[in-house]
Amino acid sequence: MATLQAATTSTGAIVSDPQAVRELCESYCFGTLDWEVTEDGELTIWGYDDFEVYEARGNGLPDYEGGIVTHEFLRELADHLEADEEFDIQTAGFTKCRFPVLAKRYVVRDGEVLHADLSSLEPINE
């Protein structure tokens, strides 16, 4: 059996209401990823897993039947970032030497959520 090996890390971003963001994060499951909101209001997410977010059931376990809700979580988070703050979270990983590798990035800034991965190609100019 092949196992995904991935790492996820984020920049730190200052949030306007640290307690509200803690409660937001507690209402979701991040797999084995860790998250922290410091006393100064800086949010970071990191760990050895893919960045996939699920809603949390009443017992704290992920609601897999509800599907992945990463975009919904990030849109909610966008409302809590301080002005001029940017939250950038990136994941890279692989399953043995199989194609394709995993690489994705989300950037939350100015009230919007941006996504990038390896699925698009752009020509290289001379």
Side-chain angles (χ1 to χ4, degrees), residues 89-112:
I89 186 161
Q90 301 179 17
T91 297
F94 60 92
T95 304
K96 294 190 176 183
C97 289
R98 294 184 180 156
F99 185 85
V101 296
L102 170 67
K104 62 183 172 183
R105 177 183 186 197
Y106 292 96
V107 176
V108 181
R109 65 174 174 229
D110 300 325
E112 67 179 349

Side-chain angles (χ1 to χ4, degrees), residues 9-113:
T9 190
S10 75
T11 59
I14 303 299
V15 298
S16 56
D17 185 345
Q19 185 57 35
V21 173
R22 284 185 196 100
E23 291 172 9
L24 174 67
C25 290
E26 288 169 356
S27 69
Y28 287 94
C29 287
F30 300 89
T32 61
L33 296 178
D34 293 308
W35 61 269
E36 178 183 32
V37 180
T38 66
E39 293 300 319
D40 297 328
E42 182 179 47
L43 170 67
T44 53
I45 298 175
W46 72 95
Y48 294 100
D49 203 350
D50 187 5
F51 180 60
E52 290 183 340
V53 181
Y54 295 87
E55 287 186 349
R57 295 178 184 244
N59 60 6
L61 296 175
D63 179 9
Y64 292 118
E65 293 174 7
I68 298 171
V69 293
T70 304
H71 297 171
E72 291 83 349
F73 165 75
L74 292 172
R75 282 193 286 270
E76 287 186 62
L77 177 63
D79 295 334
H80 295 284
L81 292 185
E82 286 284 347
D84 298 325
E85 282 294 309
E86 179 176 283
F87 185 69
D88 188 337
I89 186 161
Q90 301 179 17
T91 297
F94 60 92
T95 304
K96 294 190 176 183
C97 289
R98 294 184 180 156
F99 185 85
V101 296
L102 170 67
K104 62 183 172 183
R105 177 183 186 197
Y106 292 96
V107 176
V108 181
R109 65 174 174 229
D110 300 325
E112 67 179 349
V113 178

Side-chain angles (χ1 to χ4, degrees), residues 112-124:
E112 67 179 349
V113 178
L114 307 169
H115 175 259
D117 60 22
L118 296 177
S119 64
S120 64
L121 294 174
E122 299 292 330
I124 297 174

